[in-house]
Amino acid sequence: MILILDLGGKFSRFLGRRIRESKVYCEIVPYSYSIDKIKAKSPEGIIISGGEPNALLSIEKLDKEIYHLGIPILAIGYGAGIMTEVYGGSTVEPLEHNYAFENVNINPESSLFNGLEINMSLWLNKEYTFETIPEGFNPIAEFEDKIVAMENREKKIYGVMFHPEVETSAEGKSIIDNFLFKICNCNRNWTMEEFIEYSVEEIKKQVGDKKALCALSGGVDSSVAAVLVHKAIGDNLVCVFVDHGLLRKDEREQVEEVFRDYFQMNLITVDAKDRFLDKLKGITNPEQKRKIIGEEFIRVFEEEQKKLTDIHFLVQGTIYPDVIESGIDGKVAVKSHHNVGGLPEDMDFELIEPLRQLFKDEVREVGRLLGISEDIVSRQPFPGPGLGVRVLGEITEEKLEIVREADYIFRDEIKKAGLKDKIWQYFAALPNIKSVGVTHGERTYNYTVALRAVNSIDGMTAEWAKIPLEVLEKISTRIVNEVPHVNRVVYDITNKPPATIEWE
């Protein structure tokens, strides 16, 4: 396995995906991770990555002993800047964040660049370069006569100022593979077949003869988690589907049909609409919404547990992006996911989260291997808090009905246009905005619906989908004509980052 010491920002997440794609297991941990914990992980290699120069991030917080563990190290970007200072070198501090693909000349005799073209197009901040190289290190790559990579071949320590992990860099992927296989001697043994086999055995050991509840939403993650755990413990799994009133149109009926009829699982449906909406009354802060929804979920499951016997476990479809975005060092990095940051401290369950270390595309692959139909495996991602985070501001039944109907029309027209399988995720949201309009010749002051459609691999990054204008026009016309209290439709054309996929 490879251990990524995360200095913050988006780059460590890209790196994790790149390494997993090469069938090598990796984990992302905070830069303050202790030496004892690093030793306990027994990694084949360490990568120091992420972030921008930040006065609050002290060099001292990254334990210098990591350089003396005898483990190969690749330091990227700001990580390379920290490393060179530790060894007595220096960097040219950038005046601005000016990233672009630039032509870099590399030394093919270095193990890091072995077998690669001498001139490569790599993503870097052309103002952030090495100024002086520490003793024992040699330069191995240059950009416009500036040093952008160095190595200590004897210690197998490498520092690069460019970012080989960005998704559009095929050449960068080769550099990462060289570090994995030619320097760290990793094996390509991270496969989903082995993951399933290992997980089933671990779940059997954890649960034994006891029973587990599965928090089933009907989404990809919880569905795959349910089938995986069911494979391990069979009828000792009881799936609980909570209708919290924040579901998409016809969601409840679809879930019941698939899991009760097709998979023949023990399925309990709990009608909790009123209690959730009561708890959310007057709440406008998105983080508070997520925490309320997360806690109320747990309370519902605890109540169901008391009706059953010998249930000690709660199965959740938590995946790795949930964990990372909720904060891998105890601080919220992007947003709290209801099944991570929103869990109450006093809950009466032991958690089973079999997908906690998987990215979204890995979850889908596990689902296919388990025999789950493509309709479920490839279905639209849907957040655990449901429409609660697609209705901005205070949640009311009127607002929920608006976004539910608008979302249904959006999905219906995308399907009719033959775009269903060409867009990774698409949905409607209701910003807390009203505007002036004209309907049937009369002035109106009604809601605005926002449409969001993106393409992505695992949800860590995303690009807005270029839906044909005539399709967008048809969707907009249907929404303003068929959904009461709406007089305006807008289309979100922001990538992730800087935006998240969901609005809250």
Side-chain angles (χ1 to χ4, degrees), residues 12 31 111 129 138 140 170 246 266 317 399 425 450 467 478-479:
S12 294
Y31 64 87
S111 297
T129 60
N138 295 307
I140 54 174
L246 307 171
N266 295 327
K399 289 181 179 179
Q425 184 176 5
I467 297 175
R478 279 194 62 187
I479 289 174

Side-chain angles (χ1 to χ4, degrees), residues 107-242:
N107 179 356
E109 293 184 4
S110 168
S111 297
L112 196 63
F113 302 126
N114 184 256
L116 307 181
E117 295 294 327
I118 293 176
N119 187 270
M120 306 180 73
S121 178
L122 296 167
W123 183 259
L124 56 80
N125 180 348
K126 60 185 178 182
E127 294 190 14
Y128 192 33
T129 60
F130 294 114
E131 186 173 38
T132 60
I133 297 297
E135 185 177 349
F137 285 79
N138 295 307
I140 54 174
E142 292 184 349
F143 162 71
E144 295 183 350
D145 298 324
K146 300 171 185 176
I147 299 170
V148 293
M150 65 177 187
E151 72 173 2
N152 184 317
R153 187 171 297 189
E154 181 183 352
K155 294 183 177 180
K156 294 186 177 180
I157 296 178
Y158 303 81
V160 300
M161 303 306 283
F162 50 80
H163 287 272
E165 68 273 26
V166 296
E167 289 189 50
T168 52
S169 175
E171 294 172 314
K173 179 69 164 59
S174 298
I175 294 172
I176 293 171
D177 281 352
N178 275 351
F179 180 71
L180 298 177
F181 304 115
K182 296 182 179 180
I183 296 170
C184 298
N185 297 315
C186 292
N187 294 317
R188 296 180 186 268
N189 57 9
W190 174 247
T191 68
M192 294 304 98
E193 289 90 348
E194 290 202 13
F195 170 81
I196 291 171
E197 184 178 341
Y198 173 81
S199 297
V200 167
E201 292 305 313
E202 288 300 302
I203 293 166
K204 286 179 179 177
K205 290 178 187 176
Q206 184 180 2
V207 178
D209 295 329
K210 296 176 182 175
K211 294 182 179 179
L213 282 182
C214 177
L216 181 63
S217 71
V220 177
D221 304 331
S222 67
S223 297
V224 174
V227 177
L228 182 59
V229 175
H230 187 259
K231 182 178 178 68
I233 65 173
D235 288 341
N236 282 340
L237 174 68
V238 180
C239 293
V240 177
F241 175 68
V242 179

Side-chain angles (χ1 to χ4, degrees), residues 431-439 442-449 480 485-490:
N432 200 20
I433 299 170
K434 281 188 173 184
S435 64
V436 174
V438 178
T439 303
E442 295 186 0
R443 178 189 185 276
T444 60
Y445 188 64
N446 282 328
Y447 288 105
T448 297
V449 165
V480 295
H485 312 299
V486 175
N487 64 6
R488 191 178 300 271
V489 176
V490 298

Side-chain angles (χ1 to χ4, degrees), residues 222-287:
S222 67
S223 297
V224 174
V227 177
L228 182 59
V229 175
H230 187 259
K231 182 178 178 68
I233 65 173
D235 288 341
N236 282 340
L237 174 68
V238 180
C239 293
V240 177
F241 175 68
V242 179
D243 183 355
H244 47 27
L246 307 171
L247 300 173
R248 290 173 292 193
K249 188 171 183 177
D250 300 330
E251 191 89 7
R252 174 172 174 168
E253 292 77 11
Q254 291 171 0
V255 169
E256 289 178 334
E257 180 181 351
V258 168
F259 289 91
R260 183 174 291 153
D261 299 340
Y262 180 76
F263 285 112
Q264 297 184 339
M265 291 186 182
N266 295 327
L267 177 64
I268 298 171
T269 300
V270 181
D271 190 342
K273 174 182 175 181
D274 291 340
R275 65 186 286 177
F276 272 84
L277 295 185
D278 286 344
K279 289 278 187 179
L280 292 166
K281 192 172 294 183
I283 304 299
T284 60
N285 182 281
E287 281 295 295

Side-chain angles (χ1 to χ4, degrees), residues 406 409-420 422-423 426 451 453 465-479 489 491:
I409 290 171
F410 188 16
R411 290 186 286 125
D412 185 50
E413 289 299 329
I414 289 294
K415 183 178 180 180
K416 288 178 179 176
L419 299 173
K420 178 177 176 291
K422 298 179 181 179
I423 304 175
Y426 43 96
L451 304 178
K466 282 69 173 177
I467 297 175
L469 295 180
E470 59 270 19
V471 177
L472 287 174
E473 182 179 25
K474 188 176 292 186
I475 294 165
S476 174
T477 300
R478 279 194 62 187
I479 289 174
V489 176
Y491 187 49

